Amino acid sequence: MTDTRYLVHGVFWDASPAVPGDAGIPDGGSPVMRLQDPGGGFTDLALDAGTRLGFRLAAGGKSCLGHHKVHGPADRDHVLCPDRAQAVKGSQCERCFVVDDSRLIHDFHRGGHVPPGLRAYLMQPHWLYIATFASGASKVGTAANLRKWKRLAEQGAVVARYVARADDGRVVRNLEDLVTRDAGVPQQIRSAAKAAALTGPAPAVELDALNFGLAGVVRRLLAGAGAGGGGFEVVDERWLRPGLSDAVCGQAVRHAYPHELSTGAHGFRIDSLSGSVALARLDGADLEFVVNLGRLKARTIELGGHGSDVPAVQEPLF
Ligand SMILES: [Zn+2]
């Protein structure tokens, strides 16, 4: 079946339990790359350490990944794009973008209308966290209770701490906006910046100290804001990073993967993975490269025994 054309939906950590330990897996388990076959079925490709991933790009451009209808906290439908149309809004076509429930999430706390199923999802408890990435850049973010751990695994955090538990998704987004406004913490770090930072992660102790300090600042800010609306409690809980991410988050100097993932044939062995960013070893080369597998999202690939060209690189870099 090497000639099946798969549409890549991305790297997901959601096959894992909500919180490490819930399924007897100490650190949350393993991520997958989710692939859609031409019949509309899904294949989850496990991305464990040692996985060999070989593929070639089978079409130019990006195709729509469909949209989600949310029915409740743990219940949603993934509706595939009927035409597998060209993606024009990120990884969606115009039509799927417009009908996607998740588009409404960001306006909910500003009084926007949401359908009942999405409302039930948003009314579950949520967590506010501070995540720090390999360069030392940090962000504030939110996770629904059932996605408490996975959200940070998918984000590719190097260190993170939960700073508040909110009664619902409206309260948590108000807190998030407060932290951005009063502490200057951004709500987004670009995926390309996360991947670039992993070519030379800062020392673990430095990143932990940064995250610890910022989380403390934010907790004090939230404690002072408690008299306002209420509906939350300040917490102090460290996120447990998956063991599979340890190697790529460790201090080292590495090369960025030298080939564009939008075209050509590629193949490598995955040694470690943080979010969607892999530490990969090419056949016949004793070098590790940082590959942002997120770049494959919405692209069409064929799996097979392909290999990446080994670039002529000089070692050491410094
Ligand atoms: Zn579509």
Side-chain angles (χ1 to χ4, degrees):
M1 291 296 284
T2 53
D3 52 0
T4 303
R5 291 181 155 212
Y6 291 104
L7 178 57
V8 180
H9 279 249
V11 174
F12 292 88
W13 292 74
D14 62 1
S16 311
V19 175
D22 275 9
I25 304 168
D27 73 354
S30 302
V32 296
M33 181 179 281
R34 187 155 299 153
L35 305 174
Q36 178 191 333
D37 64 41
F42 282 100
T43 299
D44 278 351
L45 211 61
L47 297 178
D48 303 309
T51 298
R52 192 173 190 295
L53 193 59
F55 57 91
R56 76 169 197 92
L57 276 293
K62 294 187 180 184
S63 301
C64 178
L65 300 183
H67 71 278
H68 286 93
K69 277 285 166 230
V70 180
H71 306 299
D75 182 16
R76 62 171 60 198
D77 283 333
H78 184 172
V79 185
L80 297 179
C81 184
D83 318 319
R84 210 160 152 162
Q86 191 189 345
V88 292
K89 295 261 190 191
S91 47
Q92 291 177 303
C93 71
E94 184 78 43
R95 183 188 160 280
C96 292
F97 173 80
V98 168
V99 295
D100 197 328
D101 273 354
S102 54
R103 193 175 57 90
L104 304 170
I105 287 178
H106 303 282
D107 290 326
F108 178 59
H109 68 300
R110 300 188 192 100
H113 171 77
V114 297
L118 182 59
R119 185 179 171 80
Y121 174 84
L122 287 167
M123 293 312 283
Q124 70 178 308
H126 279 64
W127 299 84
L128 188 73
Y129 64 78
I130 298 292
T132 299
F133 299 91
S135 64
S138 297
K139 64 162 273 184
V140 60
T142 72
N145 193 40
L146 288 170
R147 294 183 40 78
K148 177 183 179 185
W149 180 88
K150 300 163 195 172
R151 177 84 183 130
L152 280 156
E154 278 172 9
Q155 291 269 320
V158 175
V159 194
R161 286 176 170 82
Y162 302 99
V163 291
R165 182 187 182 281
D167 290 350
D168 59 56
R170 191 192 309 259
V171 170
V172 84
R173 282 182 181 77
N174 284 329
L175 296 178
E176 185 185 29
D177 285 352
L178 174 88
V179 169
T180 298
R181 191 186 67 224
D182 292 357
V185 185
Q187 297 179 8
Q188 203 175 8
I189 304 287
R190 293 176 61 86
S191 135
K194 293 178 194 172
L198 287 168
T199 59
V205 284
E206 233 171 73
L207 296 175
D208 188 52
L210 268 170
N211 186 265
F212 178 85
L214 189 55
V217 166
V218 169
R219 275 188 211 102
R220 284 191 292 280
L221 174 68
L222 297 176
F232 71 93
E233 56 177 337
V234 174
V235 299
D236 184 352
E237 184 185 343
R238 204 188 150 112
W239 172 68
L240 184 64
R241 191 174 69 198
L244 184 59
S245 305
D246 285 351
V248 67
C249 291
Q251 193 187 4
V253 176
R254 313 180 181 106
H255 303 271
Y257 184 65
H259 307 298
E260 285 291 331
L261 285 176
S262 55
T263 179
H266 308 263
F268 37 76
R269 192 188 78 203
I270 292 174
D271 287 341
S272 178
L273 188 77
S274 166
S276 302
V277 181
L279 190 59
R281 195 173 287 271
L282 309 193
D283 305 331
D286 201 25
L287 294 169
E288 287 186 312
F289 293 87
V290 174
V291 185
N292 185 358
L293 297 175
R295 310 277 299 180
L296 287 173
K297 189 174 174 180
R299 297 195 180 276
T300 301
I301 63 170
E302 287 171 7
L303 300 175
H306 303 285
S308 303
D309 290 338
V310 178
V313 288
Q314 292 175 330
E315 256 209 323
L317 284 173
F318 300 102

